């Protein structure tokens, strides 16, 4: 079972004992199309975004893109009052276009779409589809909490969307990926499931551009969150609950490198804001220490030495081990 700590449900297993796992992720702030340019035009624009992310990855990080995250319903736009009429199957033009982009750039792609599930029964869902590096569907997450119609209007969920039932974690070649969509941010269930499933990254395609809530989710559950939104910002939130990277201009891309094998270390007199580990290990250790939080996120740049061994060699404890130690001492006192 997942551990519960001061924040709530934390990952079942940490990652600091694993070798470094550098991952380049890309996201974008891109609004849905209220009208036009038609499905072919939208798919052309979306594959172009993936291509631009891949180019930025090579230019800025000297390596290929691993994961591209595209916003909610971006294939179709707003469903309006009739979601069925504004839905598409994944097979056909959508997968042909995005699968080709995934193969061309050798990356995973997560795309938000109004997914037509059953034409005869008029079943559709607000979905995030994970396409693997070979252009195949690796997983589908269906939004568990479609937005209900406003008071005083006929009752529907986003114009007739069928809610999803669970929040699976998908194994990619770089780590474990989960997904939530927009209004899911208001509800604990899916985020808790992803923590129990040891997600490394949670993609959050969304129309709402919130910062406070995804920051709290990342802190509470101990994973990275990558938002891809319609307005205001697209962001990467780290397991400290901080915005690690962000873009705010419409249509702008964010491409950044993360290490999925990390250690969270709280303030200690000997740590000195990370200087202790830097003195011992030089550039073999990387970190982001945030003084106003009195804690830092640390990772190894040495494939032979996991960050857990570096932290232990420096006589430090990772947080939740330090939290558990303090709890035992307080309880016994």
């Amino acid at each position: 079972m997942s551990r519960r700590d001061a924040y709530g449900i934390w990952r079942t297993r940490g990652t600091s004992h694993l070798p470094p796992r550098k991952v380049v992720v890309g996201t974008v702030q891109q609004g849905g199309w209220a009208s036009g340019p038609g499905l072919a035009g939208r798919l052309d624009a979306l594959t172009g975004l993936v291509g631009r992310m891949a180019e930025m990855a090579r230019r800025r990080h000297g390596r290929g893109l691993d994961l591209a995250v595209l916003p909610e319903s971006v294939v179709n736009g707003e469903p309006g009052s009739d979601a069925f009429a504004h839905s598409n199957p994944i097979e056909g033009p959508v997968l042909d276009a995005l699968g080709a982009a995934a193969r061309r750039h050798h990356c995973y792609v997560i795309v938000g779409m109004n997914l037509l599930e059953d034409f005869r029964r008029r079943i559709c869902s607000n979905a995030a589809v994970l396409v693997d590096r070979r252009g195949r569907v690796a997983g589908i997450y269906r939004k568990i909490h479609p937005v209900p119609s406003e008071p005083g209007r006929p009752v529907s969920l986003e114009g007739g969307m069928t809610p999803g039932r669970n929040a699976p974690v998908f194994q990619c070649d770089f780590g474990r990926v989960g997904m939530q969509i927009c209004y899911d941010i208001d509800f604990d269930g899916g985020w808790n499931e992803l923590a129990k499933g040891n997600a490394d990254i949670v993609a959050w395609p969304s129309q709402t551009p919130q910062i406070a809530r995804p920051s709290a989710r990342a802190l509470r559950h101990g994973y990275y969150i990558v938002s891809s939104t319609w307005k205001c910002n697209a962001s990467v939130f780290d397991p400290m609950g901080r915005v690690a990277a962000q873009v705010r201009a419409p249509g702008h891309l964010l491409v950044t490198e993360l290490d999925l094998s990390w250690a969270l270390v709280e303030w200690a007199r000997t740590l000195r804001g990370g200087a202790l580990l830097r003195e011992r290990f030089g550039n073999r250790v990387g970190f982001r220490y945030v003084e106003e939080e009195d804690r830092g996120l640390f990772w190894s740049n040495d494939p032979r030495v996991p960050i857990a061994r570096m932290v232990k060699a420096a006589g430090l404890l990772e947080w939740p081990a330090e939290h558990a130690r303090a709890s035992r001492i307080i309880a016994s006192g």
Side-chain angles (χ1 to χ4, degrees):
M1 295 180 62
S2 295
R3 294 189 298 265
R4 285 186 178 270
D5 52 47
Y7 299 135
I9 293 179
W10 188 257
R11 295 168 53 94
T12 305
R13 296 188 300 274
T15 63
S16 62
H17 63 288
L18 299 172
R21 292 181 294 158
K22 313 295 184 188
V23 176
V24 178
V25 300
T27 184
V28 63
Q29 181 199 147
Q30 170 66 60
W33 290 273
S35 62
L39 180 62
R42 293 194 295 271
L43 292 174
D44 185 61
L46 294 175
T47 56
L49 290 175
V50 176
R52 288 170 55 199
M53 291 180 197
E55 174 56 31
M56 287 178 65
R58 289 188 292 270
R59 188 171 67 250
R60 296 183 179 182
H61 301 288
R63 51 164 297 183
L65 182 70
D66 292 299
L67 175 65
V69 184
L70 301 173
E72 178 187 18
S73 299
V74 75
V75 168
N76 320 84
E78 280 275 16
S81 60
D82 187 352
F84 177 78
H86 294 87
S87 297
N88 294 90
I90 183 61
E91 301 292 342
V94 177
L95 187 58
D96 290 348
L98 291 168
R103 289 191 298 273
R104 185 181 311 120
H105 303 295
H106 192 58
C107 66
Y108 288 81
V109 178
I110 292 174
V111 60
M113 65 180 295
N114 306 332
L115 179 63
L116 179 57
E117 309 261 21
D118 188 319
F119 183 84
R120 184 179 60 83
R121 297 167 60 198
R122 297 177 62 89
I123 294 175
C124 54
S125 58
N126 185 336
V129 179
L130 174 66
V131 179
D132 69 17
R133 298 187 199 264
R134 289 185 280 183
R136 305 176 306 182
V137 174
I140 299 175
Y141 167 69
R142 296 163 177 86
K143 187 176 183 179
I144 298 174
H145 302 99
V147 180
S149 51
E150 296 175 10
R153 295 190 176 187
V155 176
S156 75
L157 297 173
E158 296 182 4
M161 295 290 188
T162 298
R165 295 181 178 275
N166 54 26
V169 175
F170 303 101
Q171 182 67 57
C172 299
D173 57 17
F174 56 78
R176 296 171 64 80
V177 172
M179 293 172 272
Q180 293 282 273
I181 299 175
C182 199
Y183 194 42
D184 287 331
I185 197 69
D186 280 24
F187 301 89
D188 290 339
W191 302 93
N192 290 346
E193 279 190 59
L194 296 176
K196 292 174 182 178
N198 292 299
D200 293 303
I201 296 174
V202 177
W204 186 50
S206 180
Q207 290 189 44
T208 182
Q210 296 179 41
I211 295 175
R213 283 177 172 172
S215 294
R217 298 288 184 195
L219 174 64
R220 180 175 184 177
H221 299 303
Y223 40 53
Y224 286 96
I225 297 175
V226 180
S227 74
S228 187
T229 69
W230 283 34
K231 61 181 182 178
C232 296
N233 75 89
S235 304
V236 175
F237 304 89
D238 70 23
M240 287 193 295
R242 302 282 297 192
V243 175
Q246 186 178 77
V247 290
R248 287 186 170 272
H252 280 220
L253 305 179
L254 169 61
V255 175
T256 190
E257 184 180 74
L258 311 174
D259 196 316
L260 304 185
S261 300
W262 49 267
L264 187 58
V265 182
E266 292 193 316
W267 179 92
R269 194 176 304 279
T270 56
L271 180 57
R272 290 176 286 121
L276 172 64
L277 285 163
R278 180 53 53 82
E279 288 167 2
R280 285 181 175 240
F281 298 102
N283 290 332
R284 294 162 59 205
V285 66
F287 63 90
R288 182 167 55 257
Y289 190 87
V290 184
E291 188 172 358
E292 60 263 36
E293 302 290 352
D294 269 341
R295 53 175 43 195
L297 199 69
F298 294 80
W299 57 88
S300 172
N301 296 323
D302 184 343
R304 301 166 299 178
V305 184
I307 187 60
R309 284 171 54 188
M310 294 182 178
V311 171
K312 184 177 180 180
L316 300 167
L317 286 177
E318 296 178 45
W319 188 88
E322 173 59 30
H323 182 271
R325 184 188 76 91
S327 297
R328 289 193 301 270
I329 293 171
I330 293 167
S332 66

